[in-house]
Amino acid sequence: MSIITRRYNGSVFYYNAQILWRCHSTSLDIGKKGEEEEEFRVLDILKKRERQQRKKFQRNDVQPDRSERMATNQDWGNVWPGPRSFHPSSVPLPIRQGYVPKGQAPPGKKANAELMKVPNFLHLTPPVIKRQCEAIKQFCTEWPKLLNSEEAIEKHYPQEIITSDYCHASPTIRNPLSRIVTLRIKLSNLNLDKHAKDKFLRLVGDKYDEKTDLVTITADRCPVRKQNLDYVNYLLTACYHEAWTVEDWEKEKSLDDMEYYDFDTQPSKKNLVNWHLRSSGEEKSLSKEEYVAFDVSSIPNADEYKDAVSSLFNNAESDETVKKYGSAVRKLLGLPEEKLV
């Protein structure tokens, strides 16, 4: 095959044919090659593939699971030294967990995602706990010898703080209920006089239990436990100092303005003192301050009479309070008990 090029020079066209290359057919090459080799070449369209010999894979012997090879007298603290996710090959126990239809056994420990979800306490075995306690004993101080009873602890540490910690399966380790803080203290452990005690009880309201003499203050409005702890301490401090505060209008209160029956300031005490003085043969007049300061415990059965009268007025009239008042009056006057027919 020839390639012809054309050049343009002015108005005259020149054609120059130049043979650049020539493609020889395959038949000529085969013919020449056949003449040289004197052999006819056969065209093999479907070539036969040589069969390759497959490799033989030798399977190694699978070792038994680690949990099956563990010794019975092994040191479990070395196998499970601390908190970690569940690993079936490290636990030589037939553990099962998961929900299945009725009548079927729960899934085993192999490939069990339920066992890996929840925290476990496999590291807290008695020997490991004992070993850890021995390790941290050097950082601990000796328990005070004087705090050898509940009474001694309550005397030196009257305030009690109650909190709760939770361990659960959740994306976060924080539980909303763990922020709640409760403070408990006995009213008798607070240094309060008569006026401060009455005002303190009115401030705390139903947070005081008369049977146990405990004041309970609970805080849960803050998001963190430390904040709620500071808040309950603040509430107790504020109520205590406010109870000792005496307003100007409180000095102007009369007996008719009192919210409760105070036996020491009521005429009942004056009548009791006058009766006792006349019975003893003493005829003298006392001032108002002397009547209030007079100790009625020196009169036989006077304390029971005082409680009965105060209960009758403060707790309303009932069969129980009336019966208690009648019994106290008989004892005070030395009369025999009433016989029920």
Side-chain angles (χ1 to χ4, degrees):
M1 184 179 79
S2 301
I3 296 178
I4 302 175
T5 60
R6 183 179 62 178
R7 291 186 299 173
Y8 175 76
N9 187 8
S11 59
V12 182
F13 290 91
Y14 297 92
Y15 290 90
N16 184 12
Q18 184 181 3
I19 300 175
L20 298 179
W21 50 276
R22 184 180 298 276
C23 297
H24 301 279
S25 62
T26 308
S27 59
L28 295 176
D29 294 337
I30 295 173
K32 291 181 179 180
K33 191 174 181 180
E35 293 176 357
E36 295 174 359
E37 297 179 0
E38 297 180 356
E39 177 182 346
F40 181 75
R41 190 174 180 180
V42 180
L43 179 61
D44 188 4
I45 299 177
L46 298 176
K47 293 184 178 181
K48 295 181 180 180
R49 298 181 180 179
E50 296 180 357
R51 294 183 179 181
Q52 296 181 355
Q53 197 172 14
R54 295 182 179 180
K55 295 182 180 179
K56 294 182 179 181
F57 295 96
Q58 295 181 356
R59 295 184 179 181
N60 298 327
D61 295 336
V62 179
Q63 296 293 330
D65 195 47
R66 180 188 176 189
S67 60
E68 300 177 2
R69 293 183 286 110
M70 288 183 175
T72 56
N73 57 350
Q74 65 179 347
D75 188 358
W76 180 250
N78 296 332
V79 179
W80 208 282
R84 54 172 294 191
S85 299
F86 182 80
H87 194 269
S89 297
S90 302
V91 182
L93 300 173
I95 301 177
R96 294 181 176 272
Q97 183 173 342
Y99 174 78
V100 292
K102 186 177 181 181
Q104 299 182 12
K109 63 180 181 179
K110 296 288 185 179
N112 193 334
E114 296 297 329
L115 289 173
M116 293 186 288
K117 288 180 181 178
V118 296
N120 59 79
F121 299 93
L122 295 174
H123 60 289
L124 297 180
T125 55
V128 175
I129 295 176
K130 184 178 180 180
R131 185 189 308 171
Q132 294 177 356
C133 292
E134 293 293 334
I136 64 177
K137 185 180 293 186
Q138 56 180 331
F139 304 105
C140 300
T141 57
E142 187 179 358
W143 182 261
K145 296 181 179 179
L146 297 178
L147 299 178
N148 53 2
S149 62
E150 292 293 336
E151 293 76 12
I153 295 175
E154 182 181 347
K155 178 181 178 181
H156 296 283
Y157 299 95
Q159 182 174 318
E160 182 181 2
I161 301 296
I162 303 174
T163 58
S164 300
D165 295 314
Y166 298 87
C167 182
H168 57 95
S170 176
T172 176
I173 61 174
R174 298 185 181 275
N175 191 301
L177 298 177
S178 62
R179 76 184 192 281
I180 302 176
V181 178
T182 301
L183 182 147
R184 293 198 310 186
I185 187 171
K186 282 192 174 183
L187 184 64
S188 58
N189 292 329
L190 298 176
N191 185 19
L192 300 172
D193 60 2
K194 185 177 181 180
H195 167 267
K197 180 179 179 181
D198 176 64
K199 194 171 184 180
F200 183 84
L201 292 178
R202 296 181 185 280
L203 290 173
V204 298
D206 58 352
K207 300 184 183 302
Y208 172 71
D209 188 0
E210 187 176 358
K211 296 180 179 179
T212 59
D213 194 34
L214 284 175
V215 178
T216 306
I217 303 175
T218 304
D220 60 350
R221 62 176 58 190
C222 300
V224 183
R225 177 188 295 179
K226 180 64 170 60
Q227 297 173 342
N228 287 316
L229 178 60
D230 295 340
Y231 185 61
V232 293
N233 289 326
Y234 162 76
L235 290 177
L236 179 62
T237 305
C239 291
Y240 179 82
H241 289 288
E242 184 64 26
W244 278 100
T245 304
V246 180
E247 303 292 342
D248 296 336
W249 57 268
E250 295 184 51
K251 301 177 183 179
E252 301 175 357
K253 293 179 64 175
S254 62
L255 293 179
D256 297 335
D257 298 329
M258 295 297 294
E259 299 87 353
Y260 64 97
Y261 184 85
D262 187 7
F263 182 82
D264 294 331
T265 59
Q266 294 293 333
S268 299
K269 183 178 181 180
K270 182 179 180 181
N271 297 334
L272 176 63
V273 173
N274 291 335
W275 170 81
H276 174 66
L277 294 177
R278 287 195 299 268
S279 301
S280 303
E282 300 180 12
E283 290 290 342
K284 61 179 180 180
S285 60
L286 302 177
S287 63
K288 183 178 180 181
E289 290 75 12
E290 290 176 340
Y291 277 117
V292 174
F294 191 91
D295 187 11
V296 296
S297 60
S298 59
I299 304 174
N301 300 319
D303 290 335
E304 187 177 351
Y305 174 77
K306 175 183 176 179
D307 295 339
V309 174
S310 300
S311 177
L312 183 64
F313 282 95
N314 291 327
N315 300 332
E317 184 177 340
S318 62
D319 294 340
E320 183 180 357
T321 55
V322 171
K323 184 178 179 180
K324 182 179 179 181
Y325 173 74
S327 176
V329 171
R330 286 177 174 275
K331 290 181 180 180
L332 181 66
L333 299 177
L335 301 176
E337 291 290 337
E338 182 182 4
K339 295 181 180 181
L340 299 177
V341 180

